[in-house]
Amino acid sequence: NEVKDRNPNFWDNWRDYVKGINPEAYITGEVWGDAGEYLKGNEFDGVMNYRFRDAVVKLLTDNLEVEQFISDINKVKAEYPEPAYYSLLNLIDSHDTERFLNSVEMDKEKLKIAAFLQFIMPGAPMIYYGDEIGIKGSNDPDNRRTMLWEEPNNRYKIDRELLDFYQKMIRIRHDNEILTDGKLDIKAINDKKGVILITRKLENERIIGIINITDNESKIKLQLNKNEIFDLINEQSYKVENDELTVILEGKGFLLFK
């Protein structure tokens, strides 16, 4: 904003210069609020999606109603051009915020929910270094702690189980083009009591994510036009009977069906 206030044409000229060198170059900016003025096709390709972060943090720390969370997500989708929306950097923390683990009072299961959302939503998952191994930190500069490495005689242990989870989500994202290019549908289910259904669609393919943000298990029924469905998270197949699938989803749990 400071640059644009002083020189309104700077980013327009910058884009022409950069794309003239490499048409495939990705241009992004750090914009905390509504970035619509930068995403008209003549300046940035995308921005750091702090609006996504704000919605996720409120959902998992402030008891935000799932319908309000969905509204916040859909508002960004409605306000940005589609190419820019699919090019956003979806973050949950950064060098300018406290670590997400600190935001959720060290609740690792909530961190997993947030990361799960990063990997199945349109846009690119933006992982702040160390989140994947459980680095903690309050506001700047404590959020910029030294990276931990798994080395012999290192008294600081990384969270291997958390790292395995992140690596699994990365593999799932890379192996399923639909999570990059698929259309998004997001809604509340189970009487809107803390369960979110996220569907990504690409041609005839569909991936369904279900998230239970409550502490209690929830019985979920899905109408599916197939005989069997596979959960990519737990690597487990489920039989569908009479076009209906019934599953019990644990508190702070999630599934990703394909």
Side-chain angles (χ1 to χ4, degrees), residues 51 55 64-78 186:
R51 295 172 72 181
L64 185 72
E65 294 290 337
V66 292
E67 283 200 305
Q68 184 59 56
F69 169 76
I70 292 167
S71 176
D72 291 344
I73 294 297
N74 282 333
K75 192 170 190 289
V76 176
K77 178 183 174 185
I186 178 170

Side-chain angles (χ1 to χ4, degrees), residues 78-124:
E79 291 179 350
Y80 291 169
E82 187 172 271
Y85 180 69
Y86 279 81
S87 301
L88 295 173
L89 301 179
N90 293 332
L91 66 150
I92 57 174
D93 53 11
S94 75
H95 60 288
D96 283 327
T97 73
E98 67 179 352
R99 291 277 181 174
F100 192 83
L101 265 177
N102 286 63
S103 297
V104 295
E105 299 181 339
M106 311 305 165
D107 189 329
K108 189 169 74 172
E109 300 313 309
K110 287 186 176 181
L111 172 59
K112 286 182 181 179
I113 290 175
F116 180 74
L117 283 164
Q118 285 182 284
F119 280 96
I120 70 169
M121 293 286 288

Side-chain angles (χ1 to χ4, degrees), residues 164-172 232-235:
D164 289 344
F165 169 74
Y166 268 87
Q167 290 175 332
K168 171 176 278 191
M169 291 307 306
I170 291 170
R171 288 194 298 271
I172 290 172
L232 296 170
I233 300 298
N234 300 299
E235 300 178 13

Side-chain angles (χ1 to χ4, degrees), residues 76-248:
V76 176
K77 178 183 174 185
E79 291 179 350
Y80 291 169
E82 187 172 271
Y85 180 69
Y86 279 81
S87 301
L88 295 173
L89 301 179
N90 293 332
L91 66 150
I92 57 174
D93 53 11
S94 75
H95 60 288
D96 283 327
T97 73
E98 67 179 352
R99 291 277 181 174
F100 192 83
L101 265 177
N102 286 63
S103 297
V104 295
E105 299 181 339
M106 311 305 165
D107 189 329
K108 189 169 74 172
E109 300 313 309
K110 287 186 176 181
L111 172 59
K112 286 182 181 179
I113 290 175
F116 180 74
L117 283 164
Q118 285 182 284
F119 280 96
I120 70 169
M121 293 286 288
M126 180 179 174
I127 310 304
Y128 187 41
Y129 80 92
D131 281 357
E132 73 281 6
I133 57 171
I135 287 184
K136 306 173 182 65
S138 58
N139 289 317
D140 193 7
D142 190 41
N143 56 358
R144 306 186 191 212
R145 296 183 190 184
T146 304
M147 181 63 178
L148 300 180
W149 304 104
E150 197 168 46
E151 298 175 343
N153 303 319
N154 188 346
R155 66 189 179 94
Y156 298 103
K157 300 299 183 183
I158 70 170
D159 189 326
R160 169 54 64 178
E161 188 270 338
L162 186 60
L163 178 59
D164 289 344
F165 169 74
Y166 268 87
Q167 290 175 332
K168 171 176 278 191
M169 291 307 306
I170 291 170
R171 288 194 298 271
I172 290 172
R173 176 90 179 192
H174 282 174
D175 291 345
N176 293 277
E177 180 185 359
I178 187 173
L179 293 177
T180 302
D181 298 330
K183 300 294 184 182
L184 171 72
D185 182 69
I186 178 170
K187 62 184 179 181
I189 59 174
N190 280 33
D191 296 325
K192 304 170 186 175
K193 296 188 182 299
V195 181
I196 301 169
L197 180 72
I198 297 174
T199 305
R200 302 294 303 275
K201 300 176 183 177
L202 184 64
E203 297 177 351
N204 295 323
E205 187 180 2
R206 189 165 60 149
I207 280 184
I208 302 170
I210 309 172
I211 306 166
N212 179 8
I213 67 166
T214 73
D215 293 326
N216 304 312
E217 68 178 27
S218 184
K219 185 177 181 180
I220 296 165
K221 293 184 178 183
L222 297 177
Q223 299 300 315
L224 301 169
N225 187 23
K226 54 173 58 182
N227 297 322
E228 189 175 58
I229 198 164
F230 187 74
D231 172 32
L232 296 170
I233 300 298
N234 300 299
E235 300 178 13
Q236 178 181 348
S237 294
Y238 289 80
K239 295 292 184 182
V240 180
E241 298 182 0
N242 300 319
D243 295 335
E244 184 175 89
L245 173 68
T246 300
V247 294
I248 303 298

